[in-house]
Amino acid sequence: MAVSEQPPGPGVAGWLSDKLFNNYIWRSIFRSGYPNTPRNQMLVVATNVFLHLHPTRLHKTHVRITHTYCLGGLTFFFFLVLTVTGVMLMFYYVPAADRAFQDVAALETNIRFGMLMRNLHRWMAHGMVISVFLHMMRVFYTGSYKPPREFNWLVGVILLTLTLALSFTGYLLPWDQLSIWAVTVGMNMAGTVPVMGEQSRFILLGGFEVGDAALIRFYTLHVIGLPLLAAIFMAVHFWRIRRDGGLARPL
Amino acid sequence: MAVDARAVSSTPAATRPRRERDQELLVWPDLVFIEFIAATVFLLLFVILSTLLDAPLLNQANLDITPNPSKAAWYLVALQELLLHMHPALGGVIAPTFALIIIGAFPYVDRSNEGQGAWFSTENAIKITLFSAAFASILTVALILYDQGRHVNVVTSIAQEFDKDWRWPGKLSAFQNVRAIQTGWEWSIPVPESAQLGPGEHDGELNWPDDFTHVPMPFNGTSGPDWMRWGPPSFLPGWLQALYWYDLNMNTPAFVVELFIPVAVMVTLPVIMILMLMRLGWVKNIRDGSIGIFTGMMTVYFILTIIGAGFRGAGQDLVLPWDVPHID
Ligand code: HEM
């Protein structure tokens, strides 16, 4: 049988919350009642796919802000908001060399809240790069990469690289002087690699200089390829945190 | 064949602290609440920031107009700064790749289980962190100033207070900056007429840098006695041909300046730092050493970013932040 019922509390509030959280429809969605008893509080975490990223219990020290400074969580939060604002920007943006710049400029002049979306996307992208670095430093200085978390540290290094790659590919999309020259500088670095340099530069740019082909490649990587990879590695990252017994703490 | 699951989980790598139920909290509400507050606060902060400050949008992209300076995104500016001091492949790709590999390797080198899950848990962790941050920042700044020849300006201006015609002495011409070893420094030593030194005229002297710019690599197929000469390896597939150093002559002065010195600096300075920390008695185990190396790497990245973003003006000259031209 389903979860144990709670007697409704006294008064109108009790009656109301009983009607809201103990009815058939609520139960069909959430399975458990409103999480106000320890039992329901565990059930809500264990039965909800999003909350299930967490364990049901965690050690006291790990809710202290000064242990994690929320940095991993913030990085993930930035990633989520970047996905939302990114999708909104995609409604207005066409990745073609003769349109991209006008589309971005039109966000400011023609589209309500367009500039808010673009600014949020831009500043949070910077925020994510900063927070991923800080997160790495907090994990390092708390010695949390030690066994059995070696592999999760490696997953983290991959996530760091993916975050930088996401930011780098996004940088080209506004197609202004800042983007094209920053990417030209970056790609020239890639071009100097011994033996494979010229080839990898050519593959990334789809040509010898930053043009239409490069724009569509960067765009595709930026909006689907890299986010998908990042999401996969984040899933592994979170899964491993739980498999490794939650966050590290002194033996 | 059956695998014993316990055999996997009881290896030392998987030891974990005992669970103490009485020390545990429920994720709902204790953690979910914090996450909710953090998310709300940061969303609000960024909405406010975004209404106050617009993302930049310069003129439409145009490959015919090169802005001066043209800079990479801020998190790559550190690499761009390295390019000024070494071979582009080394600064832009090889060094950063090694840095990532070293970062990834920490847990595999520092394998002890002790001191996890608490800030700066070894006895001297904080001292080591501060020392290596100071060591790395001072030396990075000093090396950049040296490579820009700033010491030449300083010494010259002081010396000219006393003697108006003072010039940087010729004997020290190799020490104006790193590149001066290749371009600003000439010396020669007499060699016997009989010695045959490669192709070209024998003027009885070995001159730096000219006589060292085409030193044949061993087995490059075009130098040495007859039996060491052969045709280009055209039977190999193209990419392998590119790998084989057929006909390759080494430009020794450029090699010294662009590869040898930078690599030597990047390898020896961390080693010296760790030795100093051991001498001080602060580094007692691998964890301590790792803290030093990690801090040093983060600091160098940070300092290079600041200098690259804030102190590089037109032509990548070293200038003060307010002299960095505004690009639009
Ligand atoms: C997109 C990037 C990343 C995201 C979204 C992310 C997310 C998280 C989250 C939410 C946690 C839980 C604890 C906390 O918030 O500190 C965590 C822990 C951890 N992260 Fe990350 N992370 C990212 C990148 C990295 C990087 C770059 C590294 C290291 C190179 C790393 C290594 C770890 C390790 C080893 C843990 C376990 C820490 C412990 O047990 O205390 N992560 N990560």
Side-chain angles (χ1 to χ4, degrees), chain A residues 37-80:
Chain A
T37 64
R39 182 187 162 77
N40 280 352
Q41 286 170 346
M42 282 190 270
L43 278 171
V44 70
V45 174
T47 58
N48 181 297
V49 58
F50 305 108
L51 291 174
H52 196 64
L53 288 173
H54 302 98
T56 52
R57 305 153 174 277
L58 81 170
H59 197 264
K60 265 210 307 242
T61 47
H62 295 150
V63 297
R64 269 204 234 117
I65 305 283
T66 52
H67 185 71
T68 63
Y69 289 97
C70 296
L71 287 163
L74 266 183
T75 313
F76 183 52
F77 173 70
F78 288 153
F79 181 73
L80 293 179

Side-chain angles (χ1 to χ4, degrees), chain A residues 68 72-73 75-76 128 132 135-136 138-139 144 149 152-153 156-157 159-160 163 234 237-238 241 247-248:
Chain A
T68 63
T75 313
F76 183 52
M128 185 169 166
V132 75
H135 170 61
M136 178 171 78
R138 107 77 190 145
V139 172
S144 302
R149 296 178 182 75
N152 218 13
W153 172 265
V157 174
L159 282 171
L160 171 76
T163 307
M234 280 182 204
H237 198 58
F238 300 154
I241 294 175
L247 298 194

Side-chain angles (χ1 to χ4, degrees), chain A:
Chain A
M1 190 21 251
V3 211
S4 71
E5 300 305 329
Q6 250 193 291
V12 186
W15 174 84
L16 194 65
S17 95
D18 188 50
K19 284 286 167 252
L20 274 175
F21 302 121
N22 274 327
N23 64 52
Y24 195 79
I25 297 175
W26 174 277
R27 283 310 178 87
S28 77
I29 302 171
F30 293 108
R31 300 283 175 221
S32 56
Y34 187 77
N36 53 0
T37 64
R39 182 187 162 77
N40 280 352
Q41 286 170 346
M42 282 190 270
L43 278 171
V44 70
V45 174
T47 58
N48 181 297
V49 58
F50 305 108
L51 291 174
H52 196 64
L53 288 173
H54 302 98
T56 52
R57 305 153 174 277
L58 81 170
H59 197 264
K60 265 210 307 242
T61 47
H62 295 150
V63 297
R64 269 204 234 117
I65 305 283
T66 52
H67 185 71
T68 63
Y69 289 97
C70 296
L71 287 163
L74 266 183
T75 313
F76 183 52
F77 173 70
F78 288 153
F79 181 73
L80 293 179
V81 182
L82 282 165
T83 311
V84 175
T85 49
V87 167
M88 291 180 175
L89 291 174
M90 281 175 77
F91 291 154
Y92 301 101
Y93 177 84
V94 176
D98 53 357
R99 266 199 69 171
F101 178 79
Q102 275 77 19
D103 287 348
V104 174
L107 287 172
E108 187 167 5
T109 50
N110 296 1
I111 293 149
R112 189 158 301 170
F113 297 127
M115 214 43 195
L116 181 64
M117 286 307 125
R118 171 154 187 253
N119 292 345
L120 270 177
H121 198 76
R122 181 84 165 207
W123 301 136
M124 278 205 181
H126 288 317
M128 185 169 166
V129 175
I130 295 171
S131 70
V132 75
F133 267 111
L134 294 177
H135 170 61
M136 178 171 78
M137 295 176 75
R138 107 77 190 145
V139 172
F140 184 87
Y141 289 114
T142 56
S144 302
Y145 58 82
K146 285 162 168 278
R149 296 178 182 75
E150 310 95 325
F151 181 67
N152 218 13
W153 172 265
L154 275 190
V155 174
V157 174
I158 295 173
L159 282 171
L160 171 76
T161 324
L162 285 173
T163 307
L164 294 180
L166 269 167
S167 187
F168 181 68
T169 49
Y171 219 80
L172 181 65
L173 304 185
W175 204 249
D176 65 346
Q177 280 290 74
L178 196 62
S179 357
I180 197 166
W181 285 100
V183 168
T184 304
V185 169
M187 294 316 293
N188 287 345
M189 289 185 206
T192 60
V193 191
V195 188
M196 293 307 291
E198 275 306 315
Q199 284 88 334
S200 41
R201 183 174 182 277
F202 188 88
I203 289 172
L204 281 167
L205 290 184
F208 290 105
E209 51 176 39
V210 185
D212 242 325
L215 182 55
I216 194 79
R217 278 174 200 217
F218 274 52
Y219 175 79
T220 314
L221 285 175
H222 185 74
V223 303
I224 182 77
L226 295 170
L228 209 59
L229 272 180
I232 291 171
F233 278 100
M234 280 182 204
V236 176
H237 198 58
F238 300 154
W239 168 255
R240 284 302 283 242
I241 294 175
R242 296 205 47 193
R243 290 292 96 188
D244 295 338
L247 298 194
R249 65 192 176 82
L251 292 173

